[in-house]
């Protein structure tokens, strides 16, 4: 069964500090992994997908199949990064999405 | 260009009743996917429709159903409402299939907030 876990419900860091939002998954095949972000009073937006291997707003995420993880990282957090972050998995063959419970990131001044 | 329109915006229903929510995608978009968002469970995928066919379905009971019309508008129905069905129901539309992973991108509606009392 597909499952995504995000162990931290709330993560607080100071501005300029590194941030890592953890995401672990369970899936027997080759999954597609995504990070979505929802800023206050805004709609859910795609932040990263692992197949793109890109950096968006300074965030990167590497798929580690050995550890079944897809942690989101940023070396220097900004106050505007404060938001709800969801890790999501889609199984091969276009199977449905499974979201993690989300981590609320709070970047303190 | 009009965005994704969800109606109604707010809804209050009594346990045991049924409810129908509507989602009108952006003109030309053929894919509509539905999500339930609650503080306790977070965001959960309900189903995805593309060209009037259900492509994927999440792990929700049979009380949750949906359909898509030839004009790509989609409806979601919940029968025998339970208190736990209180949530924000979001739909997202896209040109092509794949929901939130569509290579064509996607656009969310503002959601319908359902309260079951």
């Amino acid at each position: 069964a597909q499952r995504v876990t995000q162990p931290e419900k709330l993560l607080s860091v100071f501005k300029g500090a590194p941030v890592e939002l953890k995401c672990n998954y369970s899936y027997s095949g080759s999954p597609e992994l995504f990070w979505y972000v929802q800023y206050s009073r805004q709609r859910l937006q795609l932040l990263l997908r692992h197949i793109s291997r890109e950096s968006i707003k300074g965030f990167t995420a590497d798929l580690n199949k050995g550890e079944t993880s897809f942690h989101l990282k940023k070396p220097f957090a900004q106050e505007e990064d404060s938001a709800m972050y969801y890790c999501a998995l889609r199984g091969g063959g276009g199977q449905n999405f499974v979201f993690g419970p989300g981590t609320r990131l709070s970047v303190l001044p | 260009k009009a965005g994704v329109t969800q109606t109604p915006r707010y809804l209050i229903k009594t346990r045991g009743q049924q409810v129908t929510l509507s989602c009108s995608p952006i003109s030309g978009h053929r894919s509509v996917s539905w999500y339930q968002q609650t503080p306790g469970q977070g965001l959960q995928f309900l189903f995805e429709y593309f060209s009037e066919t259900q492509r994927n379905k999440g792990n929700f009971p049979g009380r949750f159903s949906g359909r898509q019309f030839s004009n790509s508008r989609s409806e979601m129905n919940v029968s025998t409402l339970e208190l736990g069905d209180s949530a924000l129901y979001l739909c997202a539309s896209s040109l092509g299939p794949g929901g939130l992973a569509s290579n064509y991108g996607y656009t969310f509606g503002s959601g319908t907030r359902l309260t079951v009392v």
Side-chain angles (χ1 to χ4, degrees), chain A residues 59-95:
Chain A
F59 284 98
T60 59
D62 290 317
L63 178 61
N64 186 322
K65 291 187 178 181
E67 296 181 0
T68 60
S69 68
F70 188 56
H71 302 328
L72 184 68
K73 300 176 185 178
K74 185 169 182 176
F76 308 103
Q78 302 300 314
E79 289 181 68
E80 55 265 30
D81 296 328
S82 296
M84 192 74 177
Y85 290 81
Y86 293 95
C87 182
L89 174 155
R90 185 173 73 162
Q95 294 177 39

Side-chain angles (χ1 to χ4, degrees), chain B residues 49-70:
Chain B
Y49 288 89
F50 179 72
S51 293
E52 301 179 67
T53 301
Q54 187 180 86
R55 294 187 77 248
N56 290 303
K57 190 176 191 304
N59 297 322
F60 277 79
R63 301 185 295 107
F64 291 80
S65 63
R67 58 178 174 168
Q68 187 179 35
F69 302 94
S70 58

Side-chain angles (χ1 to χ4, degrees), chain B:
Chain B
K1 192 176 182 180
V4 178
T5 304
Q6 288 190 248
T7 56
R9 288 295 305 275
Y10 301 93
L11 204 51
I12 299 176
K13 289 285 190 179
T14 307
R15 267 188 308 175
Q17 286 186 310
Q18 75 160 19
V19 67
T20 299
L21 312 182
S22 178
C23 174
S24 293
I26 288 174
S27 178
H29 283 195
R30 293 164 61 196
S31 169
V32 173
S33 52
W34 288 88
Y35 305 83
Q36 182 197 64
Q37 188 172 31
T38 61
Q41 299 293 321
L43 196 60
Q44 297 185 83
F45 170 77
L46 281 155
F47 20 67
E48 181 201 348
Y49 288 89
F50 179 72
S51 293
E52 301 179 67
T53 301
Q54 187 180 86
R55 294 187 77 248
N56 290 303
K57 190 176 191 304
N59 297 322
F60 277 79
R63 301 185 295 107
F64 291 80
S65 63
R67 58 178 174 168
Q68 187 179 35
F69 302 94
S70 58
N71 62 358
S72 295
R73 189 177 70 86
S74 177
E75 285 183 348
M76 193 193 102
N77 186 277
V78 188
S79 63
T80 320
L81 283 166
E82 300 177 0
L83 295 178
D85 297 333
S86 295
L88 179 66
Y89 290 88
L90 297 164
C91 80
S93 81
S94 177
L95 271 173
L100 300 192
S102 172
N103 292 327
Y104 301 90
Y106 61 89
T107 302
F108 269 105
S110 299
T112 293
R113 187 164 293 282
L114 171 66
T115 302
V116 182
V117 298

